[in-house]
């Protein structure tokens, strides 16, 4: 896994850079707050402005006002938000509306010039800025075009993933085979590791959902909807306790979201379209932010839009999310793993019976040396149970759904259920080409009786 994963790293880095299309709030946003006639007659509140909270955004996102102006936020969304001063989800204590239910308002009077950032404590994509000029509110007029914009510091470094900002027109053309957009033909022989950048203590990942051509096996090329051009999407690997941001760009012809299956994130980060967030529209970008609290093990990310969830999963919008022991990796865990593989089994209508998006004989051969301890992260993202059987060796089932079992269970077949993950551990104790396959015959045999579908093998050598 490691070797294969890193081999594709440079390629993926390029993908990520290309995919990093960032929505920006307009620094020069005009002063379009509405006059609040109900405000007090105090001169200092001559100019009062309202920021509407609608569709998971502050409107306007950037407000330019004179000192002494009172800003009132009104929540017109159907879910609660907050107006909390600070940035990067860190309150600075200046103001905090706390829970602002539908229809409620919150007001704050800005007395000092400066640039003030705020955010919603429930929805990290929601950020806003108030730029306060040195002009007195009592003498200022509404024309801010001549004001000094030098107080605009920090804008570039902010989280600018404005959820409702369109960054590109939706494209429904299909990119070349398994590549997303680079044009480089590629048949994935294993999952690839998604690179990240460290920013302010966060591991920042980028995923782009896009139609691509995908070759399930030679002669079977189908349209896929893939993350970063790969089915499954690239493996996200983090340490327990990591703070992560995952920037998702939607280049699909319809809305989508990503759900972090099994990771127990805050509600606003759950990625359920129409429930915890609006669908990310075509051309838009959305950022998920959470701390990985789950124990080391195997989890999933997959699309979870308001509509068409089955279609989107059938088309390939899923990937593995692996949590490693903090400060180490699996291969350093006592008594040590020499080989680590992630296998995603699926039975989608689009690809048929597959392991890692591929059908035997296109599935990867998994090398090991005699005596190696092998760790397998096994995910069933399909709609059926698949009893996965290992030849030649017994394995221990150590985790289910990422969490350790009270005691490892020794078996040679694990009946995997849809949406369930398993971590298997075994010692490759004799050489051979040992099949690992679904034991439902129809899932490993084509109409002519040839072996195909959910079959792979461990190639154990001396
Ligand atoms: Cu099966």
């Amino acid at each position: 896994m490691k070797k294969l994963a890193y081999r594709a790293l440079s390629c993926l880095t390029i993908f990520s850079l290309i995919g990093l299309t960032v929505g920006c709030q307009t620094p020069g946003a005009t002063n379009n707050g509405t006059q609040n006639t109900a405000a007090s007659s105090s001169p200092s509140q001559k100019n009062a402005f309202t920021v509407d909270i609608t569709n998971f955004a502050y409107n306007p996102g950037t407000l330019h006002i004179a000192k002494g102006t009172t800003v009132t936020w009104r929540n017109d969304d159907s879910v609660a938000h907050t107006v909390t001063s600070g940035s990067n989800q860190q309150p600075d204590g200046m103001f905090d509306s706390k829970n602002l239910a539908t229809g409620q308002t919150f007001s704050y009077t800005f007395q000092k010039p400066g640039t003030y950032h705020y955010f919603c404590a429930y929805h990290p994509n929601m950020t806003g800025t108030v730029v306060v000029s040195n002009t007195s509110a009592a003498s200022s007029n509404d024309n801010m075009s001549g004001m000094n914009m030098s107080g605009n510091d920090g804008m570039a470094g902010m989280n600018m993933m404005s959820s409702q900002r369109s960054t590109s027109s939706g494209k429904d053309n299909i990119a070349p085979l398994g590549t997303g957009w680079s044009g480089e033909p590629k048949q994935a022989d294993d999952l690839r590791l998604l690179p990240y950048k460290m920013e302010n203590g966060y591991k920042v990942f980028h995923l782009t959902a896009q139609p691509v051509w995908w070759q399930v096996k030679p002669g079977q090329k189908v349209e896929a909807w893939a993350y970063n051009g790969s089915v499954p999407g690239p493996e996200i690997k983090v340490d327990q306790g990591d703070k992560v941001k995952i920037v998702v760009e939607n280049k699909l012809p319809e809305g989508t979201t990503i759900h972090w299956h099994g990771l127990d994130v805050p509600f606003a980060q759950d990625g359920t379209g129409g429930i915890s967030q609006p669908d990310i529209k075509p051309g838009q970008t959305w950022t998920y932010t959470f701390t990985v609290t789950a124990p080391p093990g195997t989890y999933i990310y997959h699309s979870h839009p308001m509509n068409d969830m089955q279609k989107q999963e059938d088309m390939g919008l899923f990937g593995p999310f692996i949590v490693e022991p903090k400060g180490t990796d699996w291969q350093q865990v006592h008594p040590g793993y020499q080989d680590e593989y992630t296998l995603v089994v699926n039975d989608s209508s689009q690809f048929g019976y597959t392991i890692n998006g591929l059908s035997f004989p296109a599935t990867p051969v998994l090398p090991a040396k005699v005596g190696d301890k092998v760790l397998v992260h096994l995910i069933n993202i399909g709609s059926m149970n698949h009893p996965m059987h290992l030849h030649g060796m017994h394995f221990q089932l150590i985790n289910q759904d990422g969490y350790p079992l009270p005691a490892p269970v020794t078996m040679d077949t694990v009946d995997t259920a849809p949406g369930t993950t398993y971590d298997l551990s075994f010692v490759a104790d004799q050489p051979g080409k040992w099949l690992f396959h679904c034991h439902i015959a129809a899932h490993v045999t084509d109409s002519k009786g040839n072996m195909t579908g959910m079959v792979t093998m461990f190639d154990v050598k001396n």
Side-chain angles (χ1 to χ4, degrees):
M1 177 63 214
K2 284 252 184 251
K3 294 177 213 115
L4 292 167
Y6 284 109
R7 197 176 64 201
L9 201 64
S10 56
C11 180
L12 267 173
T13 307
I14 295 165
F15 287 0
S16 300
L17 290 174
I18 296 168
L20 178 57
T21 312
V22 176
C24 254
Q25 290 164 315
T26 312
T30 52
N31 183 349
N32 60 353
T34 54
Q35 198 75 20
N36 186 346
T37 51
S40 140
S41 59
S42 156
S44 68
Q45 295 189 7
K46 179 182 174 186
N47 286 353
F49 294 99
T50 301
V51 174
D52 288 317
I53 308 177
T54 52
N55 208 9
F56 292 78
Y58 302 105
N59 303 298
T62 302
L63 187 63
H64 296 274
I65 57 171
K67 68 180 180 184
T69 300
T70 297
V71 177
T72 298
W73 287 264
R74 178 188 162 83
N75 183 9
D76 289 323
D77 257 349
S78 57
V79 299
H81 296 291
T82 78
V83 177
T84 306
S85 64
S87 45
N88 293 320
Q89 290 295 104
Q90 298 298 316
D92 61 16
M94 196 170 125
F95 55 86
D96 189 354
S97 70
K98 305 288 173 121
N99 191 77
L100 207 58
T102 302
Q104 288 187 327
T105 61
F106 169 75
S107 296
Y108 184 83
T109 302
F110 292 84
Q111 301 289 8
K112 289 184 182 173
T115 298
Y116 302 96
H117 301 299
Y118 63 91
F119 60 89
C120 173
Y122 305 144
H123 306 101
N125 287 283
M126 291 177 60
T127 60
T129 303
V130 178
V131 182
V132 182
S133 75
N134 204 14
T135 318
S136 163
S139 61
S140 106
N141 60 39
D142 283 357
N143 180 4
M144 295 292 175
S145 60
M147 68 175 288
N148 179 3
M149 298 292 287
S150 65
N152 218 9
D153 58 298
M155 292 292 287
M158 269 184 65
N159 178 3
M160 300 297 277
M161 306 301 165
S162 173
S163 58
Q164 301 306 321
R165 210 71 54 173
S166 180
T167 56
S168 67
S169 60
K171 293 175 189 167
D172 56 7
N173 57 314
I174 302 173
L177 180 65
T179 59
W181 47 83
S182 78
E184 176 198 350
K186 180 169 175 60
Q187 168 81 356
D189 49 7
D190 203 326
L191 303 184
R192 297 166 294 161
L193 198 59
L194 185 63
Y196 63 85
K197 279 187 193 161
M198 288 304 300
E199 288 176 14
N200 299 321
Y202 287 83
K203 286 184 176 173
V204 182
F205 298 88
H206 292 268
L207 288 173
T208 299
Q210 190 185 27
V212 298
W213 290 111
W214 186 253
Q215 184 165 292
V216 176
K217 66 180 175 184
Q220 188 186 352
K221 193 173 96 167
V222 296
E223 181 184 348
W225 289 7
Y227 294 117
N228 295 10
S230 172
V231 181
E235 180 167 302
I236 296 176
K237 197 174 231 186
V238 300
D239 289 343
Q240 187 180 23
D242 276 353
K243 294 198 294 182
V244 301
K245 286 188 186 185
I246 301 156
V247 182
V248 180
E249 185 178 3
N250 182 8
K251 289 188 173 181
L252 301 171
E254 63 184 44
T256 192
T257 62
I258 298 187
H259 170 60
W260 313 99
H261 184 118
L263 287 168
D264 296 352
V265 301
F267 174 64
Q269 306 305 311
D270 195 47
T272 40
I275 305 292
S276 66
Q277 67 168 92
D279 281 354
I280 310 165
K281 295 191 182 110
Q284 293 187 334
T285 296
W286 186 273
T287 301
Y288 295 92
T289 306
F290 53 87
T291 300
V292 177
T293 57
T298 302
Y299 305 88
I300 314 171
Y301 64 94
H302 63 79
S303 70
H304 210 306
M306 189 164 15
N307 298 309
D308 279 345
M309 176 172 162
Q310 184 180 6
K311 177 172 108 191
Q312 293 197 5
E313 290 205 4
D314 271 357
M315 293 297 283
L317 291 170
F318 52 82
F321 194 115
I322 307 297
V323 180
E324 297 205 302
K326 190 177 176 69
T328 178
D329 70 34
W330 287 107
Q331 297 190 11
Q332 293 170 278
V333 175
H334 182 79
Y337 291 98
Q338 285 73 43
D339 308 302
E340 179 189 0
Y341 296 106
T342 302
L343 301 176
V344 182
V345 302
N346 195 12
D347 49 53
S348 94
S349 57
Q350 188 71 354
F351 309 116
Y353 299 106
T354 54
I355 297 176
N356 290 359
L358 304 168
S359 174
F360 184 84
T363 47
V365 170
L366 312 169
K369 285 204 182 90
V370 171
D372 278 1
K373 192 166 183 183
V374 182
L375 178 66
V376 177
H377 307 296
L378 182 61
I379 295 168
N380 181 344
I381 197 66
S383 302
M384 308 172 186
N385 277 45
H386 299 288
M388 297 301 296
H389 171 65
L390 178 63
H391 288 213
M393 299 159 282
H394 279 67
F395 55 81
Q396 291 194 308
L397 178 62
I398 56 176
N399 288 350
Q400 186 170 323
D401 296 336
Y403 281 61
L405 297 177
V409 184
T410 301
M411 46 177 70
D412 59 40
T413 307
V414 56
D415 185 13
T416 71
T420 311
T421 75
Y422 309 84
D423 290 284
L424 318 177
S425 167
F426 65 91
V427 176
D429 57 4
Q430 58 171 333
K433 293 185 191 306
W434 303 111
L435 288 189
F436 185 55
H437 66 93
C438 176
H439 216 282
I440 295 174
H443 299 178
V444 294
T445 315
D446 70 14
S447 57
K448 294 173 187 156
N450 300 311
M451 186 162 71
T452 189
M454 305 175 107
V455 181
T456 187
M457 69 178 76
F458 292 94
D459 186 9
V460 183
K461 292 182 167 151
N462 280 306

